[in-house]
Amino acid sequence: MQRGPVLLFLAWVCFLFFAGIGLFMSGFLLTRIELASSSSCSDPLVPPPWERQSLPPGSCWAPQRFSKAVLVIIDALRFEFARFNPAKASPLPYENKLSFLHHLATSQPRHARLYRFRADPPTATMQRIKGLTTGSPPPHVGSNFATYAIQEDNLLAQLVQNGRRVVFMGDDTWEGLFPKKFFRSYFFPSFNVKDLHTVDDGILQHLYPTVDSGEWDVLIAHFLGVDHCGHKHGPDHPEMTKKLTQMNEMLRSLVDHLGNDTLLLVAGDHGMTETGDHGGDSEKEVNAALFVYSKTALFGAGPPEEPEAVPQVNLVPTVALLLGVPIPYSNIGEVMAELFSGDGDAVSAALQQLSVYHINAKQVDRFLHSYSLVAQDLPAEQLQRLQELFSSAVEEHSRLLAQVQGVTLVPPELESRLGSLIGRFQLYLREARAVCTQSWARFHPLRMVGGCTLIAASCLLCYVASELAAASDSFYRSCLLYPLLWGSVVAVLLGLARVFTQEGLDLLLVSSWAAAASQLGFFWHWWGRHPKRARLAGSQPPLASVGLRQRLRAWLGLAFPMGILLFRCGAMFSDSFVVAEARVAPFLLASLVMLLVGKLHWDGRLTVPEGPKQHLLGFSSYRREIWYLLCLVAMLLVCVRLSGFFHQCREEIPQCRPSLFLSPLASLRNTRAKNLFYLLCVALLAGLVYAVRSWLRHYGNLNSSDPLVLFVRWGFPLVVLCIACYWAVASSADDSLGKLQELVQVAVVAFPWAVYGLASVGLLLLLCNPMTVFAKDTRESAGSIVTPYLGVPSSEVDFLHVIPQIYKRMQESQKSRLERGSCKATVAAYGLGSVYSAALVIALTLLGFLLMLLHSERLSLAFLLLFLEAFMLLHIHTRARGLAGDAEPFSVPWYAVISWLLAASQFFYSTGHQPIFPAIHWNAAFVGFHLDHSTNLLPAVLVGANTFASHILFAVGCPLLLLWPFVCEMPSSQKRKSKKEPREELQEVEEHMMEMRLRESPEKFSTALLQLGLKYLFVLGTQLLACVCAAMILRRHLMVWKVFAPKFLFESLGFVVSSICLLLGISLVMRVDCAVSSWFSQLQLR
């Protein structure tokens, strides 16, 4: 068996796909150019000379209104959380809890005001912090979730540059974004969304002493309890009431500690959905709250009836000018001019507002000019229009100032001109922001086309190679070695060219060119070594040389599954389909299975003629096997239907309600219901172990005393016990008190680690010795044909026992004569016929335990349906092949591969996931971890395993599609050879060969694994290609960042996970084959 070339070829194909994905991402998710320039007090943006004389010491660009500022960020503070509605008699848990803000706004209307704080999507905390400090939207998708230091000019850099002392306390995300920028800092771990109190209590411990000390100029406190409570319980929960009440009391105490020269800002970085999630662009996610307060008057008039909506980037220029520091260079926000009105009359207030608008507009115009010199993504005609707006407004501003200067009484017409000019500056700033935000979805069309081409060529390569693998004797040399040489040569040449030209080495471009060259080498050698006639002949179906009806049947056998696949891929271009894919994927799977049964009936494989007369009259009867097949199909449809109860909702479907099974047991308030669900989940776990062990016992794989078999016997129940204990303590962790609480916290960490350890031990045992075969040497039992005389039989049972003994000795005697006197021992091997499948079943069970641990308790029901549906698909595939009379047992048909992948897609949704960021189960990162992680790698692995659980299980179990028909072979399938040796005939009558038939043709076995892997990658790649084309073609679509871009990202990550797990599954089969070869070698030495 050629193990190395098969794995190398599949790994090379995966590399081709990865290169295409990376190249497309670099063109589709390009970030905007970040300018290295920064603002300074010496910039020529200062007010005219007559205004500059009034600037107090330490002020830049505008007079400093406040010497200190406190920014309180309450993570996920949705606007509805901050708004107070006294008319509500019975408010929800998150309503009317911040009553102190309402008290300030109503009792001091010129000192306090509440705003709607509009966040730019996607609403991730990292992106919001960058927007709140730079005044410019960060890259839309490319680096939203990566913590790295902000290099762009920002508000904190300006404060530090101008000698201000910035103190921070709270979310440790700021530490990575602004290293060495804080005068004093108190960072607390932020990633554990189950921890509601550590960050908030840590801030409260330092907040009031720091404020009273006065050793600060700007104080930032980032609270996380509200956000974590939303993730853990949702907004409509009593815990949310407690957290918001705590924030209300914190603000009440904080105001008492503030001085008259201090500005207080209370802001939410984003909102949250009804399920407590965020990351998307729904109204509740982007609608945060902003509250502004000062003990000195801020506003010239009272608040409007409805709170004004303010973009988050507007906070940066406002705070900068209020504190007397320059506005960050790349800011595109609009100053909140009403905060600069002061206590004067309407004309002086308008002049002050006009002054800050003029500074803000000049800063934005400078940025647009600098940006347009280094980037070409801003439309020239829109830049020209903005320049005209700015120039006319500045000219009018100069004329107005000349007329107003020295005038004690401003005429009414000048007052109207002041208001009109303010409106023109507002129009310029808002249009400039709109132009930038629309244009900064920068695309690189050439890279996108190149990536799409690489993926498409990889799909074609998979299909061609799957057809060539069995037909060419020199397949690996011509289709693997030469392409690898081509790719290596191109990579080396590009690397040398980069070195000699002293340019930076772009590994992505080098990898893409190497992938393209290796693809070209494959197709070149394929085209050159296979004449046109052979290519055409090889492209015909197997029955092309027979009648039209048979040829049509052969084409339909491929058309049905491919039609389902192409329909699914074509529908990726519809946002409605992507939104509703959770219901469409199960429908396509059920349709494919029903079409398979219909095709078998149309081919006449389900019926047999009952006799000559009935045959002439057209009567026929159904085979007995059909009823078993129909039962399997019915059970599959039931599983498909039941899996729909575990769905997650998208905000595009407002009438949808998420499944109750997605929430953990700890969220249930009914103790009886909690206990019943717990017992049901534990019973299902025990049932899974019983089913797996029964299957292994049935095929003889539990008879030996090897470590792996002993682990299956005793380790599996122990894993179930640990998971059950973890579920028990996790569901009651919030109810425990005192010392019991400490024990529960220890148990919540200890039990998952016990599961991790046991599963790791099981997987290591599987890799070290995957053989689950019990060999019994029967040499000593050989003797005379007649059993030793033990006296007259005392009963009929004893008498009946003699006859089988005599028959068995006759068989042994006959075999010994056929062996012509061979003296080698006879060995009975139990479990050898299912040795490959047994290893995969054990591996899948262990992976299933790990993945169920990372999900909420009640989703174990979905995993049970997953295993049951996979079992049904394998048996349907086996029965369909048996009824169809497939003459090539080493080839897995396309319908089996496509149905297997449709089931993987189905259970992606049926385990509570959606291809959107708010639906990610972040809690999985802390299963077995109480505190924060030291690195992001481990939580990323845990969250990825939770998200792509179905992809992992179905990809690792993919070789079962090849192995299962051999495990379940029928006796009739073993009697098709016309002439056999007497010894072979006797052996086949005795027992089925099962998976040992694969070892009769090791070359065919390795080729079959290669073909299966290529077909699997072809189907995965075709789905990925559809998502890539949809994202590329619809990149200017209204729903591109809401639907198509997240779908592409999830599909790409799912492809990477599936391809790696596919390689692991095939590697496990080859490891078992290596162990079987060693076992036979040792047997021959006996």
Side-chain angles (χ1 to χ4, degrees), residues 99-112 291 293 303:
S99 57
F100 183 65
L101 301 184
H102 175 72
H103 167 72
L104 290 177
T106 53
S107 61
Q108 307 177 55
R110 296 186 60 190
H111 297 252
F291 184 79
Y293 172 76

Side-chain angles (χ1 to χ4, degrees), residues 763 840 843-852 854-855 863 866-867 900-901 903-905 907-908 911 940-959 1016 1020 1053-1066:
L763 292 173
L840 282 172
L844 290 172
T845 306
L846 289 172
L847 289 175
F849 287 147
L850 290 174
L851 295 173
M852 279 188 275
L854 298 177
H855 287 75
F863 279 93
L866 184 151
F867 285 113
W900 196 252
L901 276 164
S905 298
F907 278 99
F908 169 77
T911 48
V941 170
L942 294 175
V943 173
N946 172 282
T947 304
F948 300 104
S950 63
H951 296 71
I952 294 172
L953 292 174
F954 279 95
V956 172
C958 178
Y1016 201 86
L1020 278 174
L1053 291 174
F1055 179 90
V1056 173
V1057 172
S1058 297
S1059 57
I1060 293 175
C1061 292
L1062 174 68
L1063 291 175
L1064 293 177
I1066 294 178

Side-chain angles (χ1 to χ4, degrees), residues 50-51 54 63 65 110 298-301 337-357 397 401 404 407-411 414-416 418-419 422:
W50 65 275
E51 277 192 36
S54 62
R65 289 207 63 191
R110 296 186 60 190
L298 277 171
F299 306 98
E338 64 269 17
L339 294 176
F340 297 85
S341 299
D343 296 328
D345 54 11
V347 175
S348 61
L351 286 172
Q352 291 184 40
Q353 293 181 14
L354 191 59
S355 174
V356 294
Y357 269 126
H397 178 254
L401 287 182
V404 172
V407 178
T408 55
L409 183 63
V410 179
L414 284 181
E415 289 187 31
S416 62
L418 285 173
I422 289 175

Side-chain angles (χ1 to χ4, degrees), residues 485-774:
L485 288 176
W486 281 44
S488 302
V489 169
V490 169
V492 170
L493 291 178
L494 287 176
L496 292 176
R498 292 281 182 174
V499 170
F500 287 127
T501 56
Q502 296 182 350
E503 295 182 7
L505 187 64
D506 191 340
L507 292 179
L508 180 59
L509 283 179
V510 171
S511 301
S512 301
W513 278 108
S518 60
Q519 285 179 339
L520 183 61
F522 172 86
F523 290 114
W524 178 272
H525 284 277
W526 166 68
W527 191 266
R529 293 181 63 86
H530 295 78
K532 182 177 181 181
R533 181 178 301 175
R535 287 193 300 268
L536 293 177
S539 64
Q540 297 295 325
L543 299 178
S545 59
V546 295
L548 178 62
R549 181 178 177 85
Q550 288 84 353
R551 187 181 304 177
L552 183 60
R553 287 177 179 175
W555 279 112
L556 287 178
L558 185 63
F560 281 142
M562 287 299 180
I564 293 288
L565 176 63
L566 292 177
F567 174 81
R568 182 168 189 261
C569 294
M572 293 290 184
F573 292 82
S574 167
D575 58 335
S576 301
F577 171 85
V578 177
V579 168
E581 193 180 10
R583 290 177 291 172
V584 177
F587 170 77
L588 293 178
L589 174 61
S591 301
L592 181 56
V593 174
M594 296 302 293
L595 284 172
L596 172 63
V597 176
K599 181 182 180 299
L600 289 174
H601 186 274
W602 189 65
D603 290 342
R605 300 295 183 177
L606 304 183
T607 58
V608 291
E610 294 189 357
K613 184 176 180 180
Q614 290 87 344
H615 182 70
L616 291 173
L617 295 175
F619 296 109
S620 61
S621 62
Y622 287 101
R623 296 183 179 182
R624 276 185 284 181
E625 294 89 345
I626 180 58
W627 305 113
Y628 183 66
L629 176 63
L630 291 179
C631 289
L632 292 173
V633 172
M635 292 180 65
L636 175 72
L637 296 179
V638 171
C639 291
V640 169
R641 184 65 177 173
L642 291 177
S643 67
F645 289 103
F646 303 91
H647 65 278
Q648 177 67 277
C649 290
R650 295 180 63 121
E651 61 95 10
E652 293 92 342
I653 310 177
Q655 69 273 14
C656 176
R657 293 293 178 267
S659 172
L660 298 176
F661 296 99
L662 301 181
S663 57
L665 289 179
S667 64
L668 289 179
R669 303 177 188 177
N670 189 328
T671 306
R672 184 177 180 182
K674 182 188 296 186
N675 293 336
L676 288 176
F677 273 116
Y678 173 77
L679 292 175
L680 177 61
C681 294
V682 174
L684 290 177
L685 269 182
L688 176 62
V689 171
Y690 176 78
V692 171
R693 291 176 58 178
S694 298
W695 185 89
L696 294 172
R697 187 180 298 109
H698 173 73
Y699 286 104
N701 296 104
L702 281 186
N703 292 323
S704 73
S705 58
D706 291 336
L708 179 60
V709 176
L710 293 178
F711 182 85
V712 173
R713 289 178 183 172
W714 306 107
F716 277 15
L718 190 57
V719 172
V720 171
L721 178 62
C722 292
I723 294 177
C725 292
Y726 169 71
W727 286 349
V729 295
S731 61
S732 58
D734 296 335
D735 302 330
S736 54
L737 300 173
K739 294 184 178 180
L740 186 60
Q741 178 72 28
E742 298 178 2
L743 293 176
V744 167
Q745 294 300 328
V746 173
V748 166
V749 175
F751 284 121
W753 272 103
V755 176
Y756 295 151
L758 288 170
S760 300
V761 169
L763 292 173
L764 286 175
L765 291 174
L766 185 63
L767 291 176
C768 293
N769 184 16
M771 293 285 290
T772 53
V773 177
F774 174 59

Side-chain angles (χ1 to χ4, degrees), residues 273-338:
T273 64
E274 290 301 327
T275 58
D277 299 312
H278 59 88
D281 61 351
S282 66
E283 185 63 24
K284 293 181 179 180
E285 290 172 279
V286 302
N287 202 18
L290 171 65
F291 184 79
V292 183
Y293 172 76
S294 173
K295 291 186 176 180
T296 58
L298 277 171
F299 306 98
E305 294 184 4
E306 187 65 24
E308 181 185 353
V310 176
Q312 283 189 350
V313 292
N314 290 12
L315 187 66
V316 172
T318 304
V319 173
L321 293 182
L322 287 173
L323 295 178
V325 298
I327 301 174
Y329 195 92
S330 300
N331 165 76
I332 59 169
E334 172 192 344
V335 69
M336 299 165 62
E338 64 269 17

Side-chain angles (χ1 to χ4, degrees), residues 100-175:
F100 183 65
L101 301 184
H102 175 72
H103 167 72
L104 290 177
T106 53
S107 61
Q108 307 177 55
R110 296 186 60 190
H111 297 252
R113 186 163 297 181
L114 180 66
Y115 294 89
R116 293 182 184 271
F117 209 32
R118 303 288 295 183
D120 293 315
T123 47
T125 297
M126 185 74 59
Q127 187 188 23
R128 295 297 87 238
I129 294 176
K130 294 175 182 177
L132 285 169
T133 55
T134 62
S136 183
H140 196 86
V141 175
S143 58
N144 295 341
F145 306 98
T147 304
Y148 60 90
I150 296 179
Q151 305 296 331
E152 200 171 19
D153 193 16
N154 58 82
L155 183 59
L156 268 70
Q158 287 296 330
L159 290 169
V160 174
Q161 181 179 323
N162 287 275
R164 309 301 169 88
R165 297 165 298 177
V166 182
V167 176
F168 178 85
M169 51 189 70
D171 186 351
D172 61 354
T173 304
W174 293 70
E175 183 179 15

Side-chain angles (χ1 to χ4, degrees), residues 789-988:
Y789 179 73
L790 299 176
V792 179
S794 60
S795 64
E796 184 179 356
V797 175
D798 291 340
F799 182 78
L800 294 175
H801 179 68
V802 174
I803 297 176
Q805 291 291 324
I806 296 175
Y807 179 72
K808 180 179 180 181
R809 298 302 175 89
M810 291 174 64
Q811 282 186 332
E812 293 174 353
S813 177
Q814 177 69 15
K815 284 196 293 181
S816 65
R817 286 195 298 270
L818 289 172
E819 291 172 358
R820 297 178 180 178
S822 175
C823 62
K824 290 188 178 181
T826 301
V827 176
Y830 297 91
L832 192 59
S834 57
V835 63
Y836 297 101
S837 299
L840 282 172
V841 168
I842 294 173
L844 290 172
T845 306
L846 289 172
L847 289 175
F849 287 147
L850 290 174
L851 295 173
M852 279 188 275
L853 183 69
L854 298 177
H855 287 75
S856 61
E857 301 89 345
R858 287 183 286 180
L859 281 178
S860 59
L861 306 174
F863 279 93
L864 178 70
L865 289 175
L866 184 151
F867 285 113
L868 187 59
E869 185 171 313
F871 183 77
M872 295 298 115
L873 283 173
L874 290 172
H875 274 279
I876 290 173
H877 162 53
T878 301
R879 289 288 169 173
R881 292 196 64 170
L883 290 170
D886 196 344
E888 182 51 60
F890 287 89
S891 177
V892 179
W894 284 101
Y895 73 80
V897 179
I898 294 175
S899 61
W900 196 252
L901 276 164
L902 283 175
S905 298
Q906 169 203 345
F907 278 99
F908 169 77
Y909 296 99
S910 296
T911 48
H913 298 99
Q914 285 280 351
I916 50 177
F917 294 116
I920 295 176
H921 299 176
W922 300 107
N923 291 340
F926 296 95
V927 176
F929 297 90
H930 180 60
L931 299 177
D932 201 14
H933 293 278
S934 57
T935 64
N936 291 330
L937 179 60
L938 184 57
V941 170
L942 294 175
V943 173
N946 172 282
T947 304
F948 300 104
S950 63
H951 296 71
I952 294 172
L953 292 174
F954 279 95
V956 172
C958 178
L960 290 174
L961 293 173
L962 172 64
L963 303 173
W964 208 261
F966 292 93
V967 176
C968 305
E969 68 177 0
M970 305 302 295
S972 59
S973 66
Q974 301 176 17
K975 299 180 180 180
R976 294 179 181 174
K977 293 184 179 180
S978 57
K979 295 182 181 180
K980 300 180 183 177
E981 295 293 332
R983 176 183 167 193
E984 293 179 356
E985 187 174 356
L986 179 60
Q987 287 177 338
E988 292 192 5

